[in-house]
Amino acid sequence: MFQWQQYELGVCYYPEQWEESLWREDLRRMKDAGIGTVRVAEFCWVLFEPAEGEFHFDLFDRFLSLCQEEGMKVILGTPTATPPAWLTEAYPEVLNALPDKTLLRHGARRHYNYNSPVYQRFCSRIVEEMAKHFASHPAVIGWQIDNELNCETDEFHSEADDLAFREFLKKHYTTLEDLNRAWGTVVWSGVYTSWDQIFTPRPVLNAGHNPHYLLDYYRFISDSCISFAVMQAEILRKYLKKGDFITTNGLFGNVDNHALTEKALDVYTYDSYPDFALGLDRSPKTSTDLNDRKWSRNLIETRSVCPHFGIMEQQSGAGGWANRMEMPAPRPGQLTLWAMQSVAHGADFISFFRWRTAPYGTEIYWHGILDYDNRDNRKLREVKAFGNLLQKLTPVCGAEHVAAFALLKDYDNEWDAQADVWHKRISSGSEKEIFAASQLHHTPYDIVYLNDDTALSALSRYPVVFYPHPMIMTESRASLLTEYVKNGGTLVVGCRAGLKDANGKAVMMPQPGLLQPLTGTDVQDFTFVSPAEENDPAYPIFHDILTPMEGTAVLARYQTSYYAGEACLTEKKTGKGKTIHLGSAFSRDTVAKLFEHLVILEPFRNVVDAPKDVELLLREKGGKQYLFALNYLAQNQTLHLQKSVYSVFEEKELCGDVTLPPYGIAVYAL
Amino acid sequence: MFQWQQYELGVCYYPEQWEESLWREDLRRMKDAGIGTVRVAEFCWVLFEPAEGEFHFDLFDRFLSLCQEEGMKVILGTPTATPPAWLTEAYPEVLNALPDKTLLRHGARRHYNYNSPVYQRFCSRIVEEMAKHFASHPAVIGWQIDNELNCETDEFHSEADDLAFREFLKKHYTTLEDLNRAWGTVVWSGVYTSWDQIFTPRPVLNAGHNPHYLLDYYRFISDSCISFAVMQAEILRKYLKKGDFITTNGLFGNVDNHALTEKALDVYTYDSYPDFALGLDRSPKTSTDLNDRKWSRNLIETRSVCPHFGIMEQQSGAGGWANRMEMPAPRPGQLTLWAMQSVAHGADFISFFRWRTAPYGTEIYWHGILDYDNRDNRKLREVKAFGNLLQKLTPVCGAEHVAAFALLKDYDNEWDAQADVWHKRISSGSEKEIFAASQLHHTPYDIVYLNDDTALSALSRYPVVFYPHPMIMTESRASLLTEYVKNGGTLVVGCRAGLKDANGKAVMMPQPGLLQPLTGTDVQDFTFVSPAEENDPAYPIFHDILTPMEGTAVLARYQTSYYAGEACLTEKKTGKGKTIHLGSAFSRDTVAKLFEHLVILEPFRNVVDAPKDVELLLREKGGKQYLFALNYLAQNQTLHLQKSVYSVFEEKELCGDVTLPPYGIAVYAL
Amino acid sequence: MFQWQQYELGVCYYPEQWEESLWREDLRRMKDAGIGTVRVAEFCWVLFEPAEGEFHFDLFDRFLSLCQEEGMKVILGTPTATPPAWLTEAYPEVLNALPDKTLLRHGARRHYNYNSPVYQRFCSRIVEEMAKHFASHPAVIGWQIDNELNCETDEFHSEADDLAFREFLKKHYTTLEDLNRAWGTVVWSGVYTSWDQIFTPRPVLNAGHNPHYLLDYYRFISDSCISFAVMQAEILRKYLKKGDFITTNGLFGNVDNHALTEKALDVYTYDSYPDFALGLDRSPKTSTDLNDRKWSRNLIETRSVCPHFGIMEQQSGAGGWANRMEMPAPRPGQLTLWAMQSVAHGADFISFFRWRTAPYGTEIYWHGILDYDNRDNRKLREVKAFGNLLQKLTPVCGAEHVAAFALLKDYDNEWDAQADVWHKRISSGSEKEIFAASQLHHTPYDIVYLNDDTALSALSRYPVVFYPHPMIMTESRASLLTEYVKNGGTLVVGCRAGLKDANGKAVMMPQPGLLQPLTGTDVQDFTFVSPAEENDPAYPIFHDILTPMEGTAVLARYQTSYYAGEACLTEKKTGKGKTIHLGSAFSRDTVAKLFEHLVILEPFRNVVDAPKDVELLLREKGGKQYLFALNYLAQNQTLHLQKSVYSVFEEKELCGDVTLPPYGIAVYAL
């Protein structure tokens, strides 16, 4: 893996969109603002290959020379997210399609499919030509594969996808008999008697697809996406200069980002746009989801993929397309707040999107640092000041995050919840509430994705793990969890855990299935919370009614409906550890009570007493700890420092009440 | 017609979905719970015919032998609702299509069309093979044709449907000239000059299809569906054992269930799922439509088709598909309540859906009696207890329903309201309100569907008939109504009655058209209730402003808008009877006042004083009367018995205040 | 241009829909009601040409003879809005299509495309045959081309449109290089390397089309529509009787009605249906958009196209289709009010839609003067009374409208706002509010559409012009505005003015771009009003933060957000005039304050003090002024006449308090 050795600022730049006469001045103004890297070229296919097999790199040759002269480093994007019109018109089989096979056409972006051999051939060639031509250039420091893989859409329905899906399934199941059994196609006469009868999801009545088939379809999409990235990475590695890295800018649906990173990348980057939460289609005044602060959830995800990641696109201005997305401009301080939110969560490279707002195209309102008028402005001043703050944070670069607990996830359950609305309602509700409790009670967490190879050590770093609703539970994961608990860990699971096997089929066992030995509970009855009844908001959405087995303690009981008095929260010891079983989905109040019960609540409370609207994060490096405090509100927030700490930005010791201004941030060395 | 001679319990079972080793135990547990019949095989086509022309029945041979051994009776479903993948891939012309001819594909169910000669050939063969093979088996007692005809969708747009639609029209109109006149195609240059220009509804701007064409299209769909069922019934009858019956499980859109039953069936069955009303997409706390109790409306419809019907699928657990429909589990008592709701309305056979929840497939959350874990549970205990209650009800089996009035309907108006949003808004509002008034005021009704052959005796059983909005009125129906009134009946009609002819075209007559001699009113002005004005909720939606003609009495006058003071409710005597004309749509308050005025309000009030939330139904057999009382709420309800009655379940005489527990039911022999 | 010399009443009539025996009686009843003109034949193609190349005009020959006998004048519609089924089935290339090329089929109307050479050939022939046959008939006085061009849909996607779009673009850009530059296709690798790669909008992900491409697409649609009309007009002119006129009934999207009128028509007509505002899908009780009164906005638009226009379809009854649009009947007086609203705004010809409600077809609920029963009714009585009122208004016919200011518009910005949701949100909000302020404060305005040929005299008639958000600003328009201001005019512009060039691309200039010399303001920061913050409703939607330059006065400052204290309203003198710059979108309160500031508020206040719910309009002719007062409410309204005026309808002098009854109207000669 690649890791930045010090904080770096970057910016996304589109030399092809501007008069060449502007380039040098742009680079100099960037440098003046502390920006040392530009990400370029990710949408330039038609410039590089204006006709099939004709390659022209002179425009970027000139640009790279200038970068070299000006000391600017360059990340090059491969341009495969936007095939030229000549390609898609001549070879429409490269296009993605809707379920009814209507092709998605030239005119926007990401309209291709991963599995067309023709597209793969064209992509291999353009990547190889670019790599051959540019990889040895001294200004180049890294490569971005494609752009935002699986953004715009994460479903694919072309004929190439049908064929590839069959191959994917043959590899996994070998025989149709096994596939039919795995999917339970005996239902509704669904049995396949030839591989050719299988397609990516086509139009069916009431979208009533078999969910186990869908689960494999999502796995297939992930596999296709990763293979596409690997194909490019393998070409790039043939030409890559020593020290240069390969990345992609991600976190989109239907892709196993962990496997993608492991198989294709040196480092992972994320595109962070918290202003979406404040757009004109949202109600930030009444929202209960923490608005822009909830981008921290994405950043926790990102650092689960890659602890020392980069931000390839950090929002610097209002986002917007001509046809959708209306956002207010970031308020003074928000650019800095959001960039520091990324840094606090582990980003070592912050590349702003974008240097100057495009005066044309679909993204005409996706504002950059500079506005159309190209004058210095408050955003440029913020970028420069932010760079200065980063200088002061130098010792923190590469520090590890200190978490009070881990949230366990896995792609099987992630995708099962896409195919299964019962699963989705429960899981998405709980994830939102666990995050909210963590934030409002200053109890930070890491995310750990489980797969069949996950080592015990990945869990045993944490005294407590929440695995809210692992409906799909495999033998190997149940073993891992058992080992974890036996060794002293605390496992927290919620309703519907253990319901399903790896294909998303319910197991014919007393619930919570494979987890029953750990939970010591038996679920004999269960129900969605009825909209016809009053319910305690502490236990929302779904109720597994828990019958405690021998040795299991009841921590709380339902107070409503026909099961009032039955257990809803239990605790069972196993070895040195224990398992908490919550019969319902999670609410922020119940999570906070569990934090308290498990003695992980507010680990920094001996250092600082902070109001709910401030996010606290702790980073650790070389034995030193750094506490980040971020104020997401437009109002002052008062923190009470319980002991003397060193304010890294103010460069002095502080104690007692301190004030964070609107959108203000502080870092305290403890 | 077939009629059950005593109450029977059944269950839907899918032997193909389970390890064969479970079968015997399952049958024994069913019997232990009082279940004597299983419905099977309705989705087994691919098992019976895994490749074109290859038939295998051994799995069900074994299952039927076991049933025979265990004394279990069997209803076999023909599997034509779910063609195998090999069939639809090889012969895509069998598929149904969207209006733009996009085919609806394999992967869910009911994706075929009724009119494809290829599909008819395949269906005939599988039905014939099944019938030949199984019909003489001693365990078999009946056949279900297909499954839920017209469920999932009730519109068809395949090319086979286009061709069949033209033939249907040729038969009805003979000449294009007649068709053009009937549809008024002179509007918008719509005239057809060749039969080949006519299609099932295709994409047109703003969905602006000619409504008279749509009306015939709906008639065509019904005709296609019935023909498809008749085709199967004719084959089955060649092989049917004496005493065995043919049924189908119905009540879906765009099919004349009465003609279907008359032409193809021995008995009609219904699938009753009241938990839909309590799903997470509903607001049962604030709903005004009586929630699960409104399933009684469907049951009244069902007994209009077939007075002694069966329930092929009676909800036993929470319903749900993987991709939609999230429902809470039925509360303890609700399974019994809903099953007894069916019995109270005339069901003699109650088959629960389903024995055990499927652990896989789209219906993974459509819960049966048993859960995934296969253990005895409260639902199984309820089924068993319900069977015991039915034993006590033995004398009631086959009893007739006693209604205070009849609600008249007909398919012409039903389907016209689908093609006509003005009609639909008025009709659907009134039907809901008449039902609510009937329920809340314990004034039960029958539904009578009129057609051109309806005999006077079908009406003259009732002192009062409500025919809320017969916009389409024919000479023969007007005559029938006149005879009914002359003979002493009371006819109640609402706004817009008599507006149209049999093609849904407005008649150029003073309104209410053919009914004017009966109503003695003249409608010279009319309007939707204006959203800009205040209105009296007693007279909702639409206002025909009534000018009473000579001899017509005014019962009420509008109090609002420019027609304040004009008549809105009139009464006119004809012969021994009379006609009430309501100028507006019906509200529950106005209906209740009409009940009182017509002296049909609460016919049981001398027996029992019941709260609004309890449904009361009276059944009569051999001179004895049985009063059912059903409590739909989670709270106790107190009834006051005005005189001593015999409680069938408690087996004792009762008088005065008695309490129905939550979801409780009682049957009193009067 | 054609102009009516006196007020005329007309009616839309469909002789083909009625028994021929009704015709004469219908004509005589029309005449009795004061109706002298019928508009006919616009949907009669299949009657005129029942098979390809066979023409039959005898039905209308008989009808025209009868009109001649009865002294009724006739406007004939060309029937090209509804091609016969034989045509569209034989030549499907004449059909319009959805973006995915699904054809829009026979069965409704307007399902053709303008660009199919086949369709153009068929249309030319039917128009020529009709013109040859009917144009010399003495009863004929005018022709309507097609019916409601661009109604039903204003987007076209057939293959003929693709081809025509390419030709349109070739004509405008000559080279692909110029086109690519104009559209900024360098973004997202969008560059076209062959004309054949360009299509009308096809399915793309997230509808992310290039907005400059869309802008040209809308221009293309307008061009296609106009060419289609010109093609018909040129044929008609070959046969037109002297004095007869050519019109079309318009005001639909994506067409430059001014160019259409100039190139193809003698006079423009509009179809006015204010009851849409009171339909069952609306909330007139709580609406803030003035309900039916806002049809005056459309009428102001109409008179900008053609100051002395006609109403080809004036609503006389409730509108409705079988499948959508449910409206209450117009209240007594509303028919007259709405017709007089048209007259007050400049209509000299009022043709009611329609004589008698169609008893069949999609428009079965589009009520005419007479109802299905064909009896005299209150609507017929109102029409007759309205005709009598018009007699009294004879001196007013042809009078000019007196406006306090002009609202400037142009099609570039109109269509840019369709391709650009930021533009649309701002513009549509402001236009609504300016209209509301004008109405509620009795400060009437004219609309002036700017194009590159607009003469200064078109503006200099007005002391004040509002040009709310000319995002697209060209050199020629900036010059025109400068001349206007220098000569003493006052220009008012709002936020985002001057942002873009003629292709909708942002200009790289300090904002407001080309208007900065006039506004004397500099926009260095800007934002949508944040939904996370409180905001002053006086300054809604968007905020350009204004930095006043030397000599610019600040009239108001923002009170909220981070830019509290910055200028939001400024004034700068140039020559004899001045420019007001509002940083936000317009609110009705701010507009009213600007009226006051600019001394144009309530120009009639010395004549009459009227309540907000009364619309006032002033017309002037031959030195005499006529004040129209229209009451849109169901309640009496009291006006206070400040001096003695002559009531044209009451035929007497009035002074002091006078009462307008519900929906009442008055005209005062001053």
Side-chain angles (χ1 to χ4, degrees), chain C residues 58 66-67 106 134 244 255 325 335 448 454 495 505 525-526 549 602:
Chain C
D58 45 316
L66 202 63
C67 288
H106 185 84
F134 293 122
D244 288 3
V255 58
M325 297 189 284
L335 182 158
V448 176
T454 304
C495 67
K505 292 156 73 182
D525 196 3
F526 51 86
M549 299 164 84
E602 298 213 31

Side-chain angles (χ1 to χ4, degrees), chain A residues 100 181 183-193 196-197 199 202-212 416 419-423 425 471 496 499-500 504-511 516 522-535 541 561-563, chain B residues 16-18 22 43-47 50 82-86 89 102-111 152-153 278-280 282 284-285 318-329 331-332 356 359-365 367 371-375 377-378 663:
Chain A
D100 67 359
R181 193 179 309 108
W183 291 354
T185 54
V186 69
V187 169
W188 289 355
S189 208
V191 174
Y192 297 100
T193 53
D196 295 344
Q197 293 158 2
F199 295 81
R202 293 186 294 178
V204 299
L205 280 165
N206 292 309
H209 289 288
N210 177 303
H212 322 296
D416 189 67
D420 176 345
V421 290
W422 288 47
H423 191 167
R425 184 185 286 267
M471 286 206 191
R496 303 283 82 193
L499 179 69
K500 294 176 164 189
K505 292 156 73 182
V507 293
M508 292 185 64
M509 300 170 73
Q511 287 301 313
Q516 194 172 63
D522 186 30
V523 178
Q524 295 171 17
D525 197 4
F526 52 87
T527 181
F528 267 117
V529 170
S530 170
E533 298 175 354
E534 298 304 325
N535 183 51
I541 304 178
S561 196
Y562 67 91
Y563 41 89
Chain B
E16 71 279 13
Q17 293 180 6
W18 309 104
L22 278 172
F43 297 127
C44 286
W45 193 336
V46 76
L47 302 182
T82 50
W86 61 255
E89 288 307 311
T102 299
L103 294 176
L104 291 160
R105 299 289 186 166
H106 185 82
R109 59 178 187 174
R110 304 208 54 72
H111 41 296
E152 308 291 349
T153 185
L278 305 169
L280 273 65
R282 308 303 303 271
K285 281 180 198 155
W321 278 18
N323 68 318
R324 57 186 193 131
M325 297 188 283
E326 294 150 297
M327 300 181 198
R331 275 36 202 154
R356 187 166 46 237
Y360 47 80
T362 303
E363 289 195 335
I364 187 171
Y365 294 122
H367 292 81
D371 296 314
Y372 311 108
D373 65 12
N374 199 30
R375 295 185 289 186
N377 62 14
R378 67 170 171 93
Y663 312 122

Side-chain angles (χ1 to χ4, degrees), chain A residues 566-582:
Chain A
E566 302 289 336
C568 70
L569 187 66
T570 63
E571 180 172 283
K572 162 103 189 289
K573 292 203 170 68
T574 302
K576 298 180 199 160
K578 63 189 176 190
T579 302
I580 303 278
H581 190 186
L582 174 65

